[in-house]
Amino acid sequence: RFMKDETDEQYVGLTLEEADELAAKQDPPVYIRVTNRNGVPRIVTRDYHTDRINVYVVDGSITRIGGRG
């Protein structure tokens, strides 16, 4: 299971554009990666990055955080 940061939930409800803007302002910056879009899993690499937040998106908005990695 991937770890989560307590601040990751702030992205739920945002559009991808809004989330990208907010993520870029973090210190250090983090990156948003869509791992599931509209119920369809996306193919992703298995490399692990603590500065990358995996998100689930439905109709253009983030609905769930899948952890970091």
Side-chain angles (χ1 to χ4, degrees):
R1 187 96 184 160
F2 292 109
M3 69 177 230
K4 286 186 183 180
D5 185 279
E6 66 239 11
T7 63
D8 291 351
E9 293 298 323
Q10 67 184 327
Y11 296 97
V12 173
L14 300 180
T15 65
L16 285 175
E17 182 177 299
E18 293 168 334
D20 283 336
E21 288 175 12
L22 180 60
K25 293 177 184 176
Q26 302 301 311
D27 186 27
V30 294
Y31 305 92
I32 303 296
R33 175 172 71 169
V34 177
T35 56
N36 189 299
R37 185 183 301 268
N38 295 323
V40 179
R42 298 183 58 128
I43 296 172
V44 296
T45 60
R46 294 189 69 177
D47 55 324
Y48 185 77
H49 295 272
T50 57
D51 63 346
R52 184 169 58 198
I53 301 172
N54 298 309
V55 300
Y56 289 62
V57 173
V58 175
D59 296 329
S61 294
I62 295 172
T63 58
R64 181 175 154 204
I65 303 300
R68 297 224 177 182

Short mmCIF file of all heavy atoms in Angstrom, two decimals:
data_model
loop_
_atom_site.label_atom_id
_atom_site.label_comp_id
_atom_site.label_asym_id
_atom_site.label_seq_id
_atom_site.Cartn_x
_atom_site.Cartn_y
_atom_site.Cartn_z
N ARG A 1 0.85 -1.19 0.00
CA ARG A 1 0.00 0.00 0.00
C ARG A 1 0.88 1.25 0.00
O ARG A 1 1.88 1.30 0.72
CB ARG A 1 -0.88 -0.06 1.25
CG ARG A 1 -1.91 1.00 1.31
CD ARG A 1 -3.21 0.48 0.80
NE ARG A 1 -4.12 1.60 0.80
CZ ARG A 1 -5.19 1.62 0.10
NH1 ARG A 1 -5.50 0.62 -0.64
NH2 ARG A 1 -5.98 2.66 0.12
N PHE A 2 0.48 2.23 -0.77
CA PHE A 2 1.26 3.45 -0.86
C PHE A 2 0.96 4.36 0.33
O PHE A 2 -0.14 4.41 0.85
CB PHE A 2 0.95 4.20 -2.16
CG PHE A 2 1.43 3.48 -3.37
CD1 PHE A 2 0.55 2.89 -4.23
CD2 PHE A 2 2.78 3.39 -3.64
CE1 PHE A 2 1.00 2.22 -5.36
CE2 PHE A 2 3.25 2.73 -4.76
CZ PHE A 2 2.35 2.14 -5.62
N MET A 3 1.98 5.10 0.74
CA MET A 3 1.81 6.03 1.85
C MET A 3 1.03 7.26 1.40
O MET A 3 0.94 7.57 0.22
CB MET A 3 3.15 6.44 2.40
CG MET A 3 3.98 7.30 1.47
SD MET A 3 5.52 7.79 2.25
CE MET A 3 5.49 9.53 1.95
N LYS A 4 0.44 7.95 2.37
CA LYS A 4 -0.25 9.21 2.11
C LYS A 4 0.31 10.26 3.05
O LYS A 4 0.75 9.96 4.15
CB LYS A 4 -1.75 9.10 2.38
CG LYS A 4 -2.53 8.34 1.35
CD LYS A 4 -4.01 8.42 1.66
CE LYS A 4 -4.82 7.60 0.69
NZ LYS A 4 -6.25 7.68 1.00
N ASP A 5 0.28 11.47 2.61
CA ASP A 5 0.63 12.61 3.45
C ASP A 5 -0.69 13.22 3.93
O ASP A 5 -1.68 13.22 3.20
CB ASP A 5 1.43 13.62 2.63
CG ASP A 5 1.94 14.77 3.45
OD1 ASP A 5 1.14 15.69 3.69
OD2 ASP A 5 3.11 14.75 3.84
N GLU A 6 -0.72 13.75 5.15
CA GLU A 6 -1.97 14.29 5.67
C GLU A 6 -2.52 15.45 4.84
O GLU A 6 -3.70 15.74 4.87
CB GLU A 6 -1.82 14.71 7.13
CG GLU A 6 -0.88 15.88 7.31
CD GLU A 6 0.29 15.58 8.22
OE1 GLU A 6 0.52 14.43 8.57
OE2 GLU A 6 0.97 16.53 8.57
N THR A 7 -1.67 16.10 4.06
CA THR A 7 -2.14 17.23 3.24
C THR A 7 -2.69 16.79 1.88
O THR A 7 -3.26 17.62 1.17
CB THR A 7 -1.00 18.24 3.02
OG1 THR A 7 0.05 17.60 2.28
CG2 THR A 7 -0.46 18.78 4.33
N ASP A 8 -2.56 15.54 1.54
CA ASP A 8 -2.99 15.08 0.22
C ASP A 8 -4.50 15.23 -0.01
O ASP A 8 -4.94 15.46 -1.13
CB ASP A 8 -2.58 13.63 -0.01
CG ASP A 8 -1.08 13.46 -0.14
OD1 ASP A 8 -0.37 14.48 -0.23
OD2 ASP A 8 -0.63 12.30 -0.14
N GLU A 9 -5.30 15.12 1.04
CA GLU A 9 -6.75 15.19 0.89
C GLU A 9 -7.23 16.56 0.40
O GLU A 9 -8.36 16.68 -0.06
CB GLU A 9 -7.44 14.83 2.21
CG GLU A 9 -7.26 13.37 2.60
CD GLU A 9 -7.85 12.38 1.60
OE1 GLU A 9 -8.92 12.67 1.02
OE2 GLU A 9 -7.23 11.32 1.40
N GLN A 10 -6.38 17.58 0.48
CA GLN A 10 -6.79 18.91 0.01
C GLN A 10 -7.06 18.93 -1.49
O GLN A 10 -7.69 19.87 -2.00
CB GLN A 10 -5.74 19.96 0.37
CG GLN A 10 -4.42 19.81 -0.36
CD GLN A 10 -3.37 20.80 0.07
OE1 GLN A 10 -3.70 21.92 0.43
NE2 GLN A 10 -2.12 20.39 0.07
N TYR A 11 -6.61 17.93 -2.21
CA TYR A 11 -6.81 17.87 -3.66
C TYR A 11 -8.16 17.30 -4.06
O TYR A 11 -8.60 17.48 -5.19
CB TYR A 11 -5.68 17.06 -4.31
CG TYR A 11 -4.34 17.71 -4.11
CD1 TYR A 11 -3.49 17.31 -3.08
CD2 TYR A 11 -3.92 18.74 -4.94
CE1 TYR A 11 -2.26 17.92 -2.89
CE2 TYR A 11 -2.69 19.37 -4.75
CZ TYR A 11 -1.87 18.95 -3.71
OH TYR A 11 -0.66 19.57 -3.52
N VAL A 12 -8.83 16.61 -3.14
CA VAL A 12 -10.14 16.03 -3.45
C VAL A 12 -11.13 17.15 -3.74
O VAL A 12 -11.24 18.11 -2.99
CB VAL A 12 -10.63 15.12 -2.30
CG1 VAL A 12 -12.06 14.64 -2.56
CG2 VAL A 12 -9.70 13.93 -2.12
N GLY A 13 -11.83 17.01 -4.86
CA GLY A 13 -12.81 18.01 -5.28
C GLY A 13 -12.28 19.02 -6.27
O GLY A 13 -13.05 19.74 -6.91
N LEU A 14 -10.97 19.08 -6.43
CA LEU A 14 -10.36 20.01 -7.38
C LEU A 14 -10.34 19.41 -8.78
O LEU A 14 -10.32 18.20 -8.96
CB LEU A 14 -8.92 20.34 -6.98
CG LEU A 14 -8.70 21.00 -5.62
CD1 LEU A 14 -7.21 21.24 -5.42
CD2 LEU A 14 -9.49 22.29 -5.50
N THR A 15 -10.30 20.28 -9.80
CA THR A 15 -10.04 19.81 -11.15
C THR A 15 -8.55 19.48 -11.25
O THR A 15 -7.75 19.90 -10.40
CB THR A 15 -10.39 20.89 -12.19
OG1 THR A 15 -9.50 21.99 -12.02
CG2 THR A 15 -11.84 21.34 -12.08
N LEU A 16 -8.17 18.79 -12.30
CA LEU A 16 -6.75 18.48 -12.49
C LEU A 16 -5.93 19.75 -12.64
O LEU A 16 -4.82 19.85 -12.11
CB LEU A 16 -6.54 17.57 -13.70
CG LEU A 16 -6.93 16.13 -13.49
CD1 LEU A 16 -6.80 15.35 -14.80
CD2 LEU A 16 -6.07 15.49 -12.41
N GLU A 17 -6.46 20.73 -13.35
CA GLU A 17 -5.75 21.99 -13.53
C GLU A 17 -5.52 22.69 -12.18
O GLU A 17 -4.42 23.16 -11.88
CB GLU A 17 -6.52 22.91 -14.47
CG GLU A 17 -5.81 24.22 -14.76
CD GLU A 17 -6.57 25.07 -15.76
OE1 GLU A 17 -6.77 24.61 -16.89
OE2 GLU A 17 -6.97 26.19 -15.37
N GLU A 18 -6.56 22.74 -11.36
CA GLU A 18 -6.44 23.35 -10.03
C GLU A 18 -5.44 22.59 -9.17
O GLU A 18 -4.63 23.19 -8.46
CB GLU A 18 -7.80 23.39 -9.33
CG GLU A 18 -8.80 24.30 -9.97
CD GLU A 18 -10.21 24.10 -9.45
OE1 GLU A 18 -10.55 22.99 -8.99
OE2 GLU A 18 -11.00 25.06 -9.52
N ALA A 19 -5.50 21.26 -9.24
CA ALA A 19 -4.59 20.44 -8.44
C ALA A 19 -3.14 20.63 -8.89
O ALA A 19 -2.24 20.72 -8.05
CB ALA A 19 -4.99 18.97 -8.55
N ASP A 20 -2.92 20.69 -10.19
CA ASP A 20 -1.56 20.91 -10.70
C ASP A 20 -1.00 22.25 -10.22
O ASP A 20 0.17 22.34 -9.83
CB ASP A 20 -1.53 20.85 -12.22
CG ASP A 20 -1.57 19.44 -12.77
OD1 ASP A 20 -1.18 18.50 -12.06
OD2 ASP A 20 -2.00 19.29 -13.93
N GLU A 21 -1.84 23.28 -10.24
CA GLU A 21 -1.40 24.60 -9.78
C GLU A 21 -1.05 24.58 -8.29
O GLU A 21 -0.02 25.12 -7.88
CB GLU A 21 -2.48 25.64 -10.05
CG GLU A 21 -2.65 25.98 -11.51
CD GLU A 21 -3.81 26.92 -11.77
OE1 GLU A 21 -4.36 27.51 -10.81
OE2 GLU A 21 -4.17 27.08 -12.95
N LEU A 22 -1.90 23.95 -7.48
CA LEU A 22 -1.65 23.86 -6.05
C LEU A 22 -0.42 23.02 -5.76
O LEU A 22 0.42 23.39 -4.93
CB LEU A 22 -2.88 23.27 -5.34
CG LEU A 22 -2.79 23.11 -3.83
CD1 LEU A 22 -2.56 24.46 -3.15
CD2 LEU A 22 -4.06 22.45 -3.31
N ALA A 23 -0.27 21.91 -6.46
CA ALA A 23 0.87 21.02 -6.25
C ALA A 23 2.20 21.70 -6.56
O ALA A 23 3.19 21.51 -5.85
CB ALA A 23 0.71 19.76 -7.11
N ALA A 24 2.20 22.53 -7.59
CA ALA A 24 3.43 23.23 -7.97
C ALA A 24 3.86 24.25 -6.93
O ALA A 24 5.04 24.59 -6.84
CB ALA A 24 3.23 23.91 -9.33
N LYS A 25 2.92 24.72 -6.11
CA LYS A 25 3.21 25.73 -5.09
C LYS A 25 3.70 25.11 -3.77
O LYS A 25 4.13 25.84 -2.89
CB LYS A 25 1.97 26.57 -4.81
CG LYS A 25 1.55 27.42 -5.98
CD LYS A 25 0.27 28.16 -5.66
CE LYS A 25 -0.21 28.94 -6.88
NZ LYS A 25 -1.50 29.60 -6.61
N GLN A 26 3.62 23.79 -3.64
CA GLN A 26 4.05 23.14 -2.41
C GLN A 26 5.57 23.25 -2.29
O GLN A 26 6.28 23.41 -3.26
CB GLN A 26 3.63 21.67 -2.41
CG GLN A 26 2.14 21.45 -2.55
CD GLN A 26 1.33 22.11 -1.46
OE1 GLN A 26 1.61 21.96 -0.28
NE2 GLN A 26 0.32 22.85 -1.85
N ASP A 27 6.06 23.15 -1.08
CA ASP A 27 7.51 23.22 -0.85
C ASP A 27 7.95 21.97 -0.09
O ASP A 27 7.68 21.86 1.09
CB ASP A 27 7.84 24.48 -0.06
CG ASP A 27 9.35 24.68 0.08
OD1 ASP A 27 10.08 24.20 -0.80
OD2 ASP A 27 9.77 25.30 1.06
N PRO A 28 8.58 21.04 -0.77
CA PRO A 28 8.93 21.02 -2.20
C PRO A 28 7.71 20.72 -3.06
O PRO A 28 6.72 20.18 -2.56
CB PRO A 28 9.96 19.89 -2.28
CG PRO A 28 9.58 18.96 -1.20
CD PRO A 28 9.04 19.82 -0.08
N PRO A 29 7.78 21.03 -4.37
CA PRO A 29 6.66 20.79 -5.27
C PRO A 29 6.33 19.29 -5.34
O PRO A 29 7.22 18.45 -5.19
CB PRO A 29 7.14 21.29 -6.63
CG PRO A 29 8.40 22.01 -6.39
CD PRO A 29 8.92 21.63 -5.04
N VAL A 30 5.07 19.00 -5.57
CA VAL A 30 4.64 17.62 -5.80
C VAL A 30 3.99 17.55 -7.17
O VAL A 30 3.68 18.58 -7.77
CB VAL A 30 3.69 17.12 -4.70
CG1 VAL A 30 4.39 17.02 -3.37
CG2 VAL A 30 2.45 17.98 -4.59
N TYR A 31 3.76 16.35 -7.65
CA TYR A 31 3.22 16.13 -8.98
C TYR A 31 1.98 15.26 -8.88
O TYR A 31 1.93 14.34 -8.07
CB TYR A 31 4.28 15.49 -9.89
CG TYR A 31 5.53 16.31 -9.90
CD1 TYR A 31 6.57 16.07 -9.01
CD2 TYR A 31 5.65 17.39 -10.77
CE1 TYR A 31 7.70 16.86 -8.99
CE2 TYR A 31 6.79 18.19 -10.75
CZ TYR A 31 7.80 17.92 -9.86
OH TYR A 31 8.92 18.72 -9.83
N ILE A 32 1.00 15.54 -9.71
CA ILE A 32 -0.26 14.80 -9.72
C ILE A 32 -0.20 13.77 -10.85
O ILE A 32 0.16 14.09 -11.98
CB ILE A 32 -1.45 15.76 -9.96
CG1 ILE A 32 -1.50 16.86 -8.90
CG2 ILE A 32 -2.75 14.98 -10.04
CD1 ILE A 32 -1.74 16.39 -7.49
N ARG A 33 -0.58 12.51 -10.52
CA ARG A 33 -0.64 11.46 -11.55
C ARG A 33 -2.01 10.79 -11.46
O ARG A 33 -2.40 10.29 -10.41
CB ARG A 33 0.46 10.43 -11.34
CG ARG A 33 0.36 9.26 -12.31
CD ARG A 33 1.53 8.34 -12.26
NE ARG A 33 1.57 7.55 -11.05
CZ ARG A 33 2.39 6.52 -10.85
NH1 ARG A 33 3.25 6.18 -11.80
NH2 ARG A 33 2.38 5.85 -9.73
N VAL A 34 -2.72 10.77 -12.57
CA VAL A 34 -4.03 10.12 -12.63
C VAL A 34 -3.81 8.62 -12.79
O VAL A 34 -3.19 8.17 -13.76
CB VAL A 34 -4.88 10.67 -13.79
CG1 VAL A 34 -6.21 9.93 -13.88
CG2 VAL A 34 -5.09 12.17 -13.63
N THR A 35 -4.33 7.84 -11.83
CA THR A 35 -4.18 6.39 -11.90
C THR A 35 -5.50 5.70 -12.24
O THR A 35 -5.52 4.51 -12.55
CB THR A 35 -3.64 5.82 -10.58
OG1 THR A 35 -4.49 6.23 -9.51
CG2 THR A 35 -2.21 6.32 -10.33
N ASN A 36 -6.60 6.46 -12.17
CA ASN A 36 -7.92 5.92 -12.50
C ASN A 36 -8.77 7.08 -12.99
O ASN A 36 -8.89 8.09 -12.30
CB ASN A 36 -8.53 5.27 -11.25
CG ASN A 36 -9.80 4.51 -11.56
OD1 ASN A 36 -10.77 5.07 -12.03
ND2 ASN A 36 -9.78 3.22 -11.28
N ARG A 37 -9.33 6.94 -14.20
CA ARG A 37 -10.16 8.01 -14.77
C ARG A 37 -11.53 7.43 -15.11
O ARG A 37 -11.62 6.48 -15.89
CB ARG A 37 -9.52 8.61 -16.00
CG ARG A 37 -10.28 9.82 -16.56
CD ARG A 37 -9.66 10.34 -17.84
NE ARG A 37 -8.28 10.76 -17.69
CZ ARG A 37 -7.88 11.99 -17.39
NH1 ARG A 37 -8.78 12.93 -17.16
NH2 ARG A 37 -6.61 12.27 -17.29
N ASN A 38 -12.57 7.99 -14.49
CA ASN A 38 -13.96 7.56 -14.74
C ASN A 38 -14.13 6.05 -14.56
O ASN A 38 -14.82 5.40 -15.34
CB ASN A 38 -14.43 8.01 -16.12
CG ASN A 38 -14.49 9.51 -16.23
OD1 ASN A 38 -14.86 10.20 -15.29
ND2 ASN A 38 -14.11 10.03 -17.39
N GLY A 39 -13.49 5.52 -13.53
CA GLY A 39 -13.63 4.10 -13.19
C GLY A 39 -12.73 3.16 -13.98
O GLY A 39 -12.78 1.95 -13.78
N VAL A 40 -11.90 3.70 -14.86
CA VAL A 40 -11.01 2.87 -15.68
C VAL A 40 -9.58 3.06 -15.19
O VAL A 40 -9.04 4.17 -15.25
CB VAL A 40 -11.11 3.26 -17.17
CG1 VAL A 40 -10.17 2.41 -18.00
CG2 VAL A 40 -12.55 3.14 -17.66
N PRO A 41 -8.96 1.97 -14.70
CA PRO A 41 -7.56 2.07 -14.26
C PRO A 41 -6.67 2.43 -15.43
O PRO A 41 -6.89 2.00 -16.56
CB PRO A 41 -7.23 0.67 -13.75
CG PRO A 41 -8.54 -0.01 -13.56
CD PRO A 41 -9.50 0.63 -14.51
N ARG A 42 -5.66 3.24 -15.15
CA ARG A 42 -4.69 3.62 -16.18
C ARG A 42 -3.40 2.85 -15.96
O ARG A 42 -3.04 2.52 -14.83
CB ARG A 42 -4.43 5.12 -16.10
CG ARG A 42 -5.70 5.91 -16.38
CD ARG A 42 -5.44 7.36 -16.38
NE ARG A 42 -4.42 7.66 -17.38
CZ ARG A 42 -4.54 8.57 -18.31
NH1 ARG A 42 -5.64 9.28 -18.38
NH2 ARG A 42 -3.58 8.80 -19.16
N ILE A 43 -2.70 2.60 -17.02
CA ILE A 43 -1.41 1.93 -16.93
C ILE A 43 -0.40 2.94 -16.39
O ILE A 43 -0.27 4.04 -16.93
CB ILE A 43 -0.96 1.39 -18.29
CG1 ILE A 43 -1.95 0.32 -18.76
CG2 ILE A 43 0.45 0.84 -18.22
CD1 ILE A 43 -1.74 -0.14 -20.18
N VAL A 44 0.28 2.58 -15.31
CA VAL A 44 1.28 3.46 -14.71
C VAL A 44 2.54 2.66 -14.42
O VAL A 44 2.52 1.44 -14.32
CB VAL A 44 0.77 4.12 -13.41
CG1 VAL A 44 -0.41 5.03 -13.69
CG2 VAL A 44 0.40 3.09 -12.37
N THR A 45 3.63 3.38 -14.28
CA THR A 45 4.89 2.73 -13.93
C THR A 45 4.90 2.37 -12.45
O THR A 45 4.15 2.94 -11.66
CB THR A 45 6.08 3.65 -14.23
OG1 THR A 45 5.94 4.85 -13.46
CG2 THR A 45 6.16 3.99 -15.71
N ARG A 46 5.74 1.44 -12.05
CA ARG A 46 5.80 1.01 -10.66
C ARG A 46 6.91 1.70 -9.88
O ARG A 46 7.12 1.38 -8.72
CB ARG A 46 5.99 -0.50 -10.61
CG ARG A 46 4.77 -1.22 -11.17
CD ARG A 46 4.83 -2.67 -10.95
NE ARG A 46 4.68 -2.89 -9.51
CZ ARG A 46 4.63 -4.06 -8.94
NH1 ARG A 46 4.73 -5.14 -9.68
NH2 ARG A 46 4.50 -4.18 -7.63
N ASP A 47 7.61 2.62 -10.53
CA ASP A 47 8.65 3.34 -9.80
C ASP A 47 8.01 4.19 -8.71
O ASP A 47 6.88 4.63 -8.83
CB ASP A 47 9.52 4.18 -10.74
CG ASP A 47 8.70 5.15 -11.58
OD1 ASP A 47 7.58 4.80 -11.98
OD2 ASP A 47 9.19 6.26 -11.84
N TYR A 48 8.72 4.39 -7.64
CA TYR A 48 8.17 5.04 -6.46
C TYR A 48 8.76 6.43 -6.26
O TYR A 48 9.98 6.58 -6.24
CB TYR A 48 8.44 4.18 -5.22
CG TYR A 48 7.80 4.70 -3.98
CD1 TYR A 48 6.45 4.52 -3.76
CD2 TYR A 48 8.54 5.39 -3.03
CE1 TYR A 48 5.84 5.01 -2.62
CE2 TYR A 48 7.95 5.88 -1.89
CZ TYR A 48 6.60 5.69 -1.69
OH TYR A 48 6.01 6.17 -0.56
N HIS A 49 7.89 7.43 -6.15
CA HIS A 49 8.33 8.81 -5.93
C HIS A 49 7.47 9.42 -4.82
O HIS A 49 6.25 9.50 -4.97
CB HIS A 49 8.16 9.65 -7.20
CG HIS A 49 9.01 9.22 -8.33
ND1 HIS A 49 10.29 9.69 -8.49
CD2 HIS A 49 8.80 8.36 -9.33
CE1 HIS A 49 10.82 9.13 -9.56
NE2 HIS A 49 9.93 8.32 -10.09
N THR A 50 8.09 9.86 -3.76
CA THR A 50 7.33 10.46 -2.66
C THR A 50 6.78 11.84 -3.02
O THR A 50 5.92 12.36 -2.32
CB THR A 50 8.19 10.59 -1.38
OG1 THR A 50 9.35 11.37 -1.69
CG2 THR A 50 8.60 9.23 -0.87
N ASP A 51 7.24 12.41 -4.13
CA ASP A 51 6.75 13.71 -4.57
C ASP A 51 5.65 13.60 -5.62
O ASP A 51 5.30 14.57 -6.27
CB ASP A 51 7.89 14.58 -5.09
CG ASP A 51 8.56 14.02 -6.32
OD1 ASP A 51 8.35 12.82 -6.65
OD2 ASP A 51 9.32 14.76 -6.97
N ARG A 52 5.07 12.41 -5.76
CA ARG A 52 4.01 12.19 -6.76
C ARG A 52 2.76 11.68 -6.04
O ARG A 52 2.81 10.71 -5.30
CB ARG A 52 4.49 11.19 -7.80
CG ARG A 52 3.51 10.96 -8.91
CD ARG A 52 4.13 10.17 -10.04
NE ARG A 52 4.62 8.87 -9.58
CZ ARG A 52 5.50 8.15 -10.26
NH1 ARG A 52 6.00 8.58 -11.39
NH2 ARG A 52 5.89 6.98 -9.79
N ILE A 53 1.64 12.36 -6.28
CA ILE A 53 0.37 11.99 -5.67
C ILE A 53 -0.49 11.31 -6.72
O ILE A 53 -0.78 11.87 -7.78
CB ILE A 53 -0.35 13.23 -5.12
CG1 ILE A 53 0.52 13.94 -4.08
CG2 ILE A 53 -1.70 12.83 -4.51
CD1 ILE A 53 -0.03 15.27 -3.63
N ASN A 54 -0.90 10.08 -6.43
CA ASN A 54 -1.76 9.31 -7.32
C ASN A 54 -3.21 9.64 -7.01
O ASN A 54 -3.63 9.59 -5.85
CB ASN A 54 -1.51 7.82 -7.13
CG ASN A 54 -0.10 7.45 -7.49
OD1 ASN A 54 0.40 7.80 -8.56
ND2 ASN A 54 0.58 6.77 -6.59
N VAL A 55 -3.98 9.98 -8.06
CA VAL A 55 -5.36 10.40 -7.85
C VAL A 55 -6.32 9.64 -8.76
O VAL A 55 -5.95 9.14 -9.81
CB VAL A 55 -5.53 11.92 -8.08
CG1 VAL A 55 -4.67 12.72 -7.12
CG2 VAL A 55 -5.25 12.31 -9.52
N TYR A 56 -7.57 9.59 -8.30
CA TYR A 56 -8.68 9.05 -9.07
C TYR A 56 -9.50 10.25 -9.52
O TYR A 56 -9.77 11.15 -8.73
CB TYR A 56 -9.56 8.15 -8.20
CG TYR A 56 -8.93 6.84 -7.81
CD1 TYR A 56 -7.78 6.78 -7.04
CD2 TYR A 56 -9.52 5.64 -8.19
CE1 TYR A 56 -7.21 5.57 -6.68
CE2 TYR A 56 -8.97 4.43 -7.83
CZ TYR A 56 -7.81 4.39 -7.07
OH TYR A 56 -7.25 3.19 -6.71
N VAL A 57 -9.91 10.23 -10.79
CA VAL A 57 -10.64 11.36 -11.37
C VAL A 57 -11.96 10.86 -11.96
O VAL A 57 -11.99 9.83 -12.64
CB VAL A 57 -9.80 12.04 -12.48
CG1 VAL A 57 -10.59 13.10 -13.20
CG2 VAL A 57 -8.53 12.62 -11.90
N VAL A 58 -13.04 11.58 -11.67
CA VAL A 58 -14.34 11.32 -12.27
C VAL A 58 -14.86 12.63 -12.83
O VAL A 58 -14.91 13.64 -12.12
CB VAL A 58 -15.34 10.74 -11.24
CG1 VAL A 58 -16.73 10.60 -11.86
CG2 VAL A 58 -14.85 9.40 -10.70
N ASP A 59 -15.19 12.61 -14.11
CA ASP A 59 -15.74 13.80 -14.80
C ASP A 59 -14.86 15.04 -14.58
O ASP A 59 -15.36 16.14 -14.36
CB ASP A 59 -17.17 14.08 -14.37
CG ASP A 59 -18.11 12.95 -14.78
OD1 ASP A 59 -17.85 12.31 -15.81
OD2 ASP A 59 -19.10 12.73 -14.05
N GLY A 60 -13.55 14.87 -14.59
CA GLY A 60 -12.62 15.98 -14.53
C GLY A 60 -12.23 16.46 -13.14
O GLY A 60 -11.40 17.34 -13.02
N SER A 61 -12.82 15.89 -12.09
CA SER A 61 -12.50 16.29 -10.72
C SER A 61 -11.89 15.12 -9.94
O SER A 61 -12.28 13.97 -10.14
CB SER A 61 -13.74 16.77 -9.99
OG SER A 61 -14.22 17.95 -10.57
N ILE A 62 -10.98 15.45 -9.05
CA ILE A 62 -10.35 14.43 -8.22
C ILE A 62 -11.35 13.97 -7.17
O ILE A 62 -11.92 14.79 -6.45
CB ILE A 62 -9.07 14.98 -7.58
CG1 ILE A 62 -8.04 15.31 -8.67
CG2 ILE A 62 -8.50 14.00 -6.55
CD1 ILE A 62 -6.81 16.03 -8.19
N THR A 63 -11.55 12.66 -7.09
CA THR A 63 -12.52 12.11 -6.15
C THR A 63 -11.87 11.31 -5.03
O THR A 63 -12.50 11.05 -4.01
CB THR A 63 -13.52 11.18 -6.87
OG1 THR A 63 -12.79 10.14 -7.52
CG2 THR A 63 -14.33 11.96 -7.88
N ARG A 64 -10.61 10.91 -5.24
CA ARG A 64 -9.95 10.05 -4.25
C ARG A 64 -8.45 10.16 -4.43
O ARG A 64 -7.95 10.31 -5.53
CB ARG A 64 -10.40 8.61 -4.46
CG ARG A 64 -9.82 7.63 -3.50
CD ARG A 64 -10.42 6.25 -3.74
NE ARG A 64 -9.46 5.26 -3.27
CZ ARG A 64 -9.42 4.02 -3.70
NH1 ARG A 64 -10.25 3.60 -4.63
NH2 ARG A 64 -8.52 3.20 -3.23
N ILE A 65 -7.74 10.05 -3.30
CA ILE A 65 -6.29 10.01 -3.32
C ILE A 65 -5.85 8.56 -3.18
O ILE A 65 -6.27 7.87 -2.26
CB ILE A 65 -5.70 10.85 -2.17
CG1 ILE A 65 -6.20 12.30 -2.24
CG2 ILE A 65 -4.18 10.80 -2.17
CD1 ILE A 65 -5.85 13.05 -3.49
N GLY A 66 -4.99 8.12 -4.10
CA GLY A 66 -4.53 6.74 -4.07
C GLY A 66 -3.21 6.58 -3.33
O GLY A 66 -2.67 5.50 -3.27
N GLY A 67 -2.69 7.66 -2.79
CA GLY A 67 -1.43 7.60 -2.07
C GLY A 67 -0.32 8.25 -2.86
O GLY A 67 -0.52 8.82 -3.93
N ARG A 68 0.87 8.16 -2.33
CA ARG A 68 2.05 8.69 -3.01
C ARG A 68 2.83 7.55 -3.63
O ARG A 68 2.81 6.44 -3.16
CB ARG A 68 2.94 9.44 -2.01
CG ARG A 68 2.22 10.64 -1.43
CD ARG A 68 3.12 11.80 -1.41
NE ARG A 68 2.41 12.98 -0.91
CZ ARG A 68 2.96 14.13 -0.82
NH1 ARG A 68 4.22 14.28 -1.15
NH2 ARG A 68 2.27 15.17 -0.40
N GLY A 69 3.52 7.86 -4.68
CA GLY A 69 4.33 6.82 -5.28
C GLY A 69 4.64 7.04 -6.71
O GLY A 69 4.33 7.93 -7.38
#
